[in-house]
Amino acid sequence: MAMAPSPPCIHIFFASILLLSNFNQGFSSSPSTLQENHSNGSYSGQINSNSVLVALLDSHYTELAELVEKALLLQTLEDAVGKHNITIFAPRNEALERDLDPEFKRFLLEPGNLKSLQTLLLYHIVPNRINLSHNSSLHHHSTLCRDRIKLGSQSGEKLIDSAKIIQVNAVERPDGVIHGIERLLIPRSVQQDFNNRRSLQSISAVKPEGAPEVDPRTHRLKKSAPPAKPGSAPVLPIYDAMAPGPSLAPAPAPGPGGPHHHFNGERQVKDFIETLLLYGGYNEMADILVNLTSLATEMGRLVSEGYVLTVLAPNDEAMAKLTTDQLSEPGAPEQIIYYHVIPEYQTEESMYNAVRRFGKISYDTLRLPHKVLAQEADGSVKFGHAENSAYLFDPDIYTDGRISVQGIDGVLFPLEEKEKSDTKTEMKSVKVAAKPQRRGKLLEVACRMLGTFGQDSHFTTCQ
């Protein structure tokens, strides 16, 4: 049984019908003419009560209908329905009420992000009729936002992108069909807008003030350092902000962030970990950062203080090759991740341009004093050495100006230095072994000479 539509939807819908009827006042068309115009793709300018839009506003997908209303897309959808059949992939209400990240929902409903909201909603609408009961093979369809959406199946279940279709042909009308899906589909452009929602130009870094220092030589106050520009890097190197030990402790060094939180590092680290999970294939990396170690928290503190990081994230297939011995030693997971974190902001384009120009480049890592080698190989960037190397597999998974995440297809380890044998010790042992042999021959010759004179009995060594 269909539920009654919400009052705002009723008012807006009937207002649009009234405008359309006033616009077409005095224009009469027979039913055959309307059917012919609709089949030919010409817009008749009229939406009847049997339209798929009316069904959407009057269905139990009330959350999606309200978002369409807030995004001011009713007129756009009326134009689309007038030109051709449409297919709407409607998320269930629970996916928009409880499962959706509250911060992401606030981002969509902000007035300045109307374009992102419209792009997200149009990503759920395909400008042709898709009958899923006869279509189970892999297909790509263009949506109303001009992005392509992938339709396929897995284990007998139909999928649209990575979301399951839970109700096939939930609503069928002559001008369109509605399929129910389990969650909201997020296009990559909207996810990128959400990651880049912070304007680094508007961030003002405040230098922490302490007690005045006196120069012991001149007995005068030391001149304060010139003020740092907004968004500039911290004065201290990142290694001084890290505490020694197998795991990172809260950094004691004050930076541009300080208690004022000009850079919200914890939120940015949370965003990039959620992006890893949504991207797929990097669950083990996210698990190590959040559950096995406290590196996610410490990376958030470093970014809050103004530092920038580039994370080389091995995929799940590469992480599965790690043995229990490599992860069971105290501090081993932290040391592995340290070697995959570069204290610079690098993207796929910047690293590839660098290796194209200079051939080989060694990047500093948080695992001192080891560096990771990068070079060009097969039109991409290869990290590490021949025996232990990994290629840049998924470029620019997450980039927000402070944190960059690049996916690689292997786990990197620093080269172990071979211990050189002590040649001096061997030389000494050879000399010590040769001396007794030479001394024995001399004694033998001396005793023979003394024996010829009958004096050998006076020497105990000759006896």
Side-chain angles (χ1 to χ4, degrees):
M1 181 180 296
M3 298 174 60
S6 57
C9 296
I10 295 177
H11 296 327
I12 292 181
F13 172 71
F14 282 108
S16 61
I17 295 296
L18 182 60
L19 289 175
L20 287 171
S21 62
N22 292 336
F23 176 78
N24 296 282
Q25 188 175 9
F27 177 81
S28 61
S29 299
S30 62
S32 60
T33 305
L34 290 176
Q35 185 176 2
E36 181 181 357
N37 292 340
H38 189 74
S39 61
N40 293 335
S42 61
Y43 182 31
S44 63
Q46 293 181 352
I47 302 296
N48 56 31
S49 60
N50 200 28
S51 172
V52 69
L53 292 183
V54 180
L56 174 64
L57 298 176
D58 198 24
S59 67
H60 57 275
Y61 298 106
T62 55
E63 290 291 328
L64 180 64
E66 289 182 6
L67 286 181
V68 170
E69 174 189 339
K70 293 177 181 178
L72 307 177
L73 288 177
L74 283 176
Q75 186 61 45
T76 302
L77 297 183
E78 289 174 5
D79 296 341
V81 170
K83 294 178 182 178
H84 34 238
N85 273 218
I86 64 173
T87 300
I88 302 176
F89 294 95
R92 54 193 178 92
N93 287 342
E94 292 79 5
L96 298 175
E97 290 177 348
R98 296 193 296 268
D99 299 342
L100 192 62
D101 185 8
E103 187 174 352
F104 183 69
K105 191 172 184 179
R106 285 195 299 270
F107 164 78
L108 293 176
L109 297 180
E110 289 179 359
N113 302 322
L114 179 62
K115 185 177 180 181
S116 297
L117 178 59
Q118 292 176 342
T119 302
L120 181 137
L121 294 176
L122 295 178
Y123 188 67
H124 292 73
I125 303 174
V126 177
N128 55 62
R129 192 183 190 94
I130 302 176
N131 192 349
L132 294 179
S133 58
H134 305 292
N135 190 355
S136 59
S137 59
L138 179 63
H139 290 284
H140 290 80
H141 299 275
S142 296
T143 62
L144 288 182
C145 69
R146 298 181 180 179
D147 289 337
R148 297 183 67 83
I149 199 168
K150 182 174 67 175
L151 178 65
S153 61
Q154 182 179 4
S155 302
E157 296 180 341
K158 294 181 174 61
L159 300 177
I160 184 73
D161 274 359
S162 58
K164 296 180 182 179
I165 300 176
I166 57 177
Q167 192 173 4
V168 177
N169 300 334
V171 177
E172 290 186 272
R173 293 293 185 270
D175 56 356
V177 62
I178 299 177
H179 303 300
I181 59 178
E182 65 170 350
R183 65 177 179 84
L184 189 70
L185 303 177
I186 303 176
R188 189 167 186 175
S189 59
V190 176
Q191 184 68 44
Q192 192 70 21
D193 293 341
F194 176 65
N195 296 337
N196 297 336
R197 65 190 182 277
R198 307 170 190 85
S199 176
L200 297 180
Q201 299 296 330
S202 62
I203 297 175
S204 59
V206 179
K207 182 182 177 182
E209 298 180 357
E213 298 182 7
V214 178
D215 191 344
R217 295 175 299 175
T218 60
H219 299 287
R220 295 181 180 179
L221 293 178
K222 288 185 177 181
K223 294 183 178 180
S224 59
K229 295 182 179 179
S232 60
V235 178
L236 292 175
I238 191 172
Y239 307 104
D240 294 338
M242 295 169 54
S247 63
L248 289 175
H260 303 287
H261 298 289
H262 294 285
F263 300 110
N264 195 338
E266 294 181 2
R267 180 180 298 175
Q268 292 176 260
V269 171
K270 176 186 174 184
D271 288 346
F272 102 74
I273 291 177
E274 288 181 351
T275 304
L276 279 181
L277 297 176
L278 291 174
Y279 194 88
Y282 294 90
N283 297 332
E284 296 294 332
M285 182 69 176
D287 183 64
I288 289 180
L289 290 175
V290 177
N291 298 326
L292 194 58
T293 65
S294 59
L295 293 179
T297 303
E298 183 55 29
M299 290 173 66
R301 292 194 183 96
L302 292 176
V303 175
S304 296
E305 293 182 1
Y307 300 99
V308 293
L309 302 172
T310 298
V311 182
L312 304 178
N315 56 20
D316 289 344
E317 183 178 354
M319 298 294 286
K321 298 179 182 178
L322 291 177
T323 62
T324 54
D325 296 336
Q326 292 174 321
L327 294 174
S328 59
E329 296 181 3
E334 288 86 350
Q335 294 300 325
I336 293 176
I337 300 302
Y338 289 166
Y339 192 62
H340 291 75
V341 180
I342 300 173
E344 304 175 21
Y345 186 78
Q346 297 286 343
T347 61
E348 184 267 343
E349 182 180 2
S350 65
M351 289 189 291
Y352 184 71
N353 291 338
V355 296
R356 279 289 302 274
R357 181 177 181 182
F358 301 106
K360 294 183 179 181
I361 294 182
S362 295
Y363 291 105
D364 292 328
T365 65
L366 294 189
R367 184 174 179 180
L368 286 174
H370 300 289
K371 297 184 177 182
V372 61
L373 178 67
Q375 56 186 327
E376 182 190 6
D378 302 329
S380 180
V381 182
K382 184 176 77 170
F383 300 95
H385 300 271
E387 299 178 356
N388 179 29
S389 61
Y391 284 86
L392 184 58
F393 191 69
D394 290 319
D396 296 340
I397 296 177
Y398 179 90
T399 52
D400 66 353
R402 311 299 302 176
I403 300 176
S404 172
V405 181
Q406 308 293 327
I408 58 177
D409 60 354
V411 181
L412 302 174
F413 291 94
L415 285 177
E416 299 293 336
E417 296 182 359
K418 297 181 179 180
E419 297 182 357
K420 296 181 180 179
S421 59
D422 192 357
T423 55
K424 295 183 179 180
T425 306
E426 294 180 359
M427 293 294 294
K428 289 181 180 179
S429 61
V430 171
K431 291 180 180 179
V432 171
K435 285 182 179 178
Q437 185 178 4
R438 186 179 179 186
R439 183 171 176 270
K441 289 182 178 180
L442 292 175
L443 284 175
E444 185 179 355
V445 173
C447 288
R448 287 180 181 178
M449 293 178 64
L450 292 173
T452 57
F453 296 102
Q455 301 294 330
D456 57 340
S457 59
H458 295 285
F459 298 94
T460 55
T461 55
C462 294
Q463 296 177 358

